[in-house]
Amino acid sequence: MNLPPLVQAFVLHFGEMGSRWGINRTVGQIYALLYVSPAPLNADQIVEALGVSRSNVSMGLRELQGWNLAVPKHVPDDRRDHFTTPGDVWEILRVLAEERKKREVDPTLSVLRELLMQAPASEAERHAQARMAEMHGLIEQLTNWYEDVKKLETERLAQLLALGSRVARLVEATDKVVSLGRRKKKE
Amino acid sequence: MNLPPLVQAFVLHFGEMGSRWGINRTVGQIYALLYVSPAPLNADQIVEALGVSRSNVSMGLRELQGWNLAVPKHVPDDRRDHFTTPGDVWEILRVLAEERKKREVDPTLSVLRELLMQAPASEAERHAQARMAEMHGLIEQLTNWYEDVKKLETERLAQLLALGSRVARLVEATDKVVSLGRRKKKE
DNA sequence: CCGTGATTTCAGTAATTCCTGAAAATTCAG
DNA sequence: CTGAATTTTCAGGAATTACTGAAATCACGG
């Protein structure tokens, strides 16, 4: 690997980090490299930059494409495929959230739904199902919220983030209004 | 493994899922088992339920404790350690978010900060740093928001979730008020 | 079609991670 | 203390995952 020190440090860090996620070192490094690269890179350039085998890069790129984290970019007068990452970091965030949800949350949700349909055959199963229902409920709330929020344009999303803790007060205020409307059912 | 079918399906699913996260199959299974168990379990009960070695359970439990996802629970008149998961699913969510942030986000944030301090030695490095700055900015915004939100009590958090897309309107409204206050700087 | 360059596949190997059983350490009652 | 019960450690083997080089496939200009 022969890269400017700053870039190299970044790439190596993503390689390490990759292991803490599901992705392997090479995939992490490829992503990092594409992310900081000023122009799209072809596979051979990646090979040279990272010092891994051509086939490894091929597989890594394929995986990144599966995650929508690397997109092929056609360069005129060049037969080779070139790749970039989605340019806008917000876009990357969206892609990541979406993919992780798809891979890590949705399958669980569907298993839970299925298990909750079955009739419990014992006290142990009744209890287990109750716990599963709790988990299912929480995950569903979270994903519903996510589905809503992901529709927001980036600008609104940024505002929402910027609001931070003030959201709390906003929610409290809303709560009060609602409570009053309901004639202070609780509290 | 000899468990009620419902429980077994749940446990096996978490075992599979474990691999998609960083955790291994056994750890995922132990967690799932503790989660649906009506009472705290000791290591030998887990061994019997899952059909894995005693030492494997020991290591798994240790890892779960590191994640704060298994907590020892003393059972009177029994020398053996018993374990449960944090009971409230919201609590579990908090723990998970906190731990994942600590392991997956904070290290990256600190590397980015470090790299951004260095003076770029070339045009390539200047560009790379600009990209890193973008990423750093986004992550910082997200973690700030998270730090704020995690302070909310569970009830408020639930309200916030329930609000869902309506948050968008709330934010828009806030935006307008602010804009008016600023004499419609933009738009 | 053919040939050239680019990419992908895949079988084999390297590296890593997981799991086990045996041994060591710890804990605590007597 | 001693010894039984329990837990932890750890070296080595099993299983999984990552990586490579060679060969196959693909894409396209001529």
Side-chain angles (χ1 to χ4, degrees):
Chain A
M1 193 187 300
N2 188 18
L3 290 167
L6 268 176
V7 174
Q8 169 152 341
F10 183 73
V11 164
L12 289 179
H13 173 74
F14 264 69
E16 297 295 314
M17 230 42 200
S19 331
R20 303 213 187 175
W21 297 36
I23 62 186
N24 67 41
R25 191 164 65 258
T26 309
V27 172
Q29 292 185 351
I30 295 176
Y31 176 76
L33 183 64
L34 292 179
Y35 178 78
V36 296
S37 171
L41 299 179
N42 65 44
D44 286 320
Q45 293 174 304
I46 298 172
V47 166
E48 194 185 1
L50 302 182
V52 297
S53 76
R54 182 52 234 269
S55 46
N56 198 4
V57 168
S58 178
M59 292 191 293
L61 281 172
R62 158 180 300 231
E63 183 165 353
L64 283 174
Q65 282 176 278
W67 282 85
N68 287 313
L69 283 178
V71 295
K73 192 103 184 179
H74 193 68
V75 169
D77 295 333
D78 194 334
R79 265 173 64 182
R80 292 166 298 179
D81 267 340
H82 289 237
F83 294 88
T84 348
T85 57
D88 178 15
V89 284
W90 287 89
E91 176 62 16
I92 294 171
L93 180 65
R94 287 173 193 276
V95 165
L96 255 182
E98 189 66 21
E99 295 294 328
R100 288 193 89 151
K101 170 177 177 296
K102 193 157 64 190
R103 287 154 211 248
E104 300 181 359
V105 178
D106 291 350
T108 298
L109 210 44
S110 102
V111 166
L112 284 175
R113 261 198 268 273
E114 198 177 317
L115 295 180
L116 288 172
M117 301 274 288
Q118 298 179 28
S122 64
E123 182 50 32
E125 290 199 336
R126 278 183 21 74
H127 179 268
Q129 250 187 357
R131 290 290 277 164
M132 292 180 208
E134 278 185 73
M135 184 181 283
H136 178 263
L138 177 59
I139 298 179
E140 205 162 51
Q141 271 188 283
L142 287 171
T143 55
N144 285 344
W145 182 81
Y146 165 73
E147 292 297 331
D148 280 348
V149 166
K150 85 174 179 195
K151 291 194 198 104
L152 298 180
E153 313 129 59
T154 295
E155 205 199 334
R156 293 262 175 269
L157 197 50
Q159 284 171 359
L160 184 57
L161 279 196
L163 220 54
S165 67
R166 275 163 295 170
V167 163
R169 287 187 228 140
L170 218 52
V171 174
E172 268 177 69
T174 312
D175 186 38
K176 269 186 198 131
V177 173
V178 174
S179 294
L180 286 174
R182 285 195 198 140
R183 298 186 178 208
K184 297 161 73 179
K185 211 170 188 175
K186 282 188 179 177
E187 198 185 47
Chain B
M1 194 186 303
N2 188 19
L3 290 167
L6 269 176
V7 174
Q8 169 153 343
F10 183 72
V11 165
L12 289 180
H13 173 74
F14 264 69
E16 296 296 315
M17 230 43 198
S19 331
R20 302 211 188 176
W21 298 36
I23 62 187
N24 66 42
R25 191 164 65 258
T26 308
V27 171
Q29 291 185 351
I30 294 175
Y31 176 77
L33 182 64
L34 292 180
Y35 178 78
V36 296
S37 172
L41 299 179
N42 65 43
D44 286 320
Q45 294 174 303
I46 298 172
V47 166
E48 195 185 0
L50 301 182
V52 297
S53 76
R54 181 54 234 268
S55 46
N56 199 3
V57 168
S58 177
M59 293 191 291
L61 281 172
R62 158 179 299 230
E63 182 164 354
L64 283 173
Q65 282 176 277
W67 282 84
N68 287 312
L69 284 178
V71 294
K73 192 104 184 178
H74 194 67
V75 170
D77 296 334
D78 194 334
R79 262 175 67 184
R80 292 167 299 180
D81 267 342
H82 289 237
F83 294 88
T84 351
T85 56
D88 177 17
V89 284
W90 288 89
E91 176 62 16
I92 294 171
L93 181 66
R94 288 172 193 277
V95 165
L96 255 182
E98 189 65 22
E99 295 294 328
R100 287 192 89 150
K101 171 177 176 296
K102 194 157 64 189
R103 287 155 210 248
E104 300 181 358
V105 178
D106 290 352
T108 298
L109 210 45
S110 101
V111 166
L112 284 176
R113 261 198 268 274
E114 198 177 318
L115 294 180
L116 288 173
M117 301 273 289
Q118 297 179 29
S122 64
E123 183 50 33
E125 290 200 336
R126 278 184 20 76
H127 179 267
Q129 251 187 356
R131 290 291 276 164
M132 293 181 208
E134 278 185 73
M135 183 180 284
H136 178 265
L138 177 60
I139 298 179
E140 205 161 52
Q141 270 188 283
L142 287 171
T143 56
N144 285 345
W145 182 82
Y146 165 74
E147 292 298 330
D148 280 346
V149 166
K150 84 174 179 195
K151 292 194 197 102
L152 298 179
E153 314 127 59
T154 295
E155 204 199 335
R156 294 259 174 271
L157 198 49
Q159 284 171 0
L160 185 56
L161 280 197
L163 222 53
S165 67
R166 274 164 295 169
V167 163
R169 285 187 229 139
L170 218 52
V171 173
E172 268 178 69
T174 312
D175 188 38
K176 269 185 197 131
V177 173
V178 174
S179 294
L180 286 173
R182 285 195 196 142
R183 299 185 175 207
K184 299 162 66 177
K185 212 170 189 177
K186 283 188 179 177
E187 198 184 46

